[in-house]
Amino acid sequence: MTAPRTTHTQARTAKQQWAYGLTAFAAVMLMIVGILDIFRGIMAIAQDDVFVTTPNYVFKFDLTGWGWVHLILGAVAVIIGLGLFQTQMWARVAGVTIAGLIIIANFLSMPYSPVWSIVMIAFSAFIIWALCVNPRGDSSAAPPGTGTGTGTAGMSGPAGTSGPTV
């Protein structure tokens, strides 16, 4: 009777490791995107010659305005990235939110730096994917042996079994 339980425990441990790995990936990527956005904001505020100006753009802001937007989004992204290392649910929700805002900001500022905007949009899309792909019940998973994650939420099955519910 202990063999099936061991297999189930090993499967749960593998899911926890996978979930923690994706959360760590998202945390690192969000911090990188945040740091790059901070640098982009500083360049725009300093009115660097890296940016191209287009005369007839619908969402035309002053370059300094875009710089402040990117600087603030980048700083918030770094802070949320640090929170993701604690595997907190608020950080996951905030991470998806800030990555979405970074996508929108980069889309709107695309004429000023088109290639870099597309790269940042792709990075942010990977962050959203990594934060949303974890199966239900593994959102607070931590690496096995740390004792910080429960790993059992949503893992109760019918009458005495411990399988996941569908």
Side-chain angles (χ1 to χ4, degrees):
M1 283 267 186
T2 58
R5 188 165 185 85
T6 303
T7 305
H8 179 69
T9 303
Q10 289 172 348
R12 187 179 323 154
T13 302
K15 277 185 176 181
Q16 287 174 342
Q17 289 174 342
W18 177 255
Y20 183 76
L22 284 175
T23 303
F25 168 79
V28 169
M29 288 298 293
L30 189 61
M31 289 179 65
I32 289 170
V33 165
I35 290 169
L36 293 174
D37 228 16
I38 289 171
F39 289 150
R40 184 177 183 179
I42 291 170
M43 287 188 312
I45 292 169
Q47 305 244 342
D48 200 354
D49 293 333
V50 174
F51 297 98
V52 179
T53 57
T54 55
N56 297 323
Y57 182 51
V58 175
F59 303 109
K60 185 176 181 181
F61 279 157
D62 179 41
L63 194 55
T64 305
W66 278 121
W68 283 107
V69 167
H70 286 288
L71 184 69
I72 292 167
L73 286 175
V76 172
V78 170
I79 292 168
I80 293 171
L82 291 172
L84 281 170
F85 282 115
Q86 301 299 317
T87 65
Q88 298 294 319
M89 182 56 80
W90 68 265
R92 295 176 66 85
V93 172
V96 170
T97 303
I98 197 71
L101 290 174
I102 289 172
I103 287 174
I104 292 168
N106 279 287
F107 175 77
L108 294 176
S109 64
M110 196 175 292
Y112 299 105
S113 182
V115 175
W116 190 246
S117 291
I118 292 171
V119 168
M120 293 294 279
I121 288 169
F123 281 173
S124 297
F126 278 122
I127 292 166
I128 292 171
W129 171 80
L131 291 175
C132 292
V133 75
N134 289 344
R136 186 175 180 183
D138 287 341
S139 62
S140 63
T146 61
T148 57
T150 59
T152 57
M155 297 299 290
S156 62
T161 62
S162 60
T165 57
V166 179

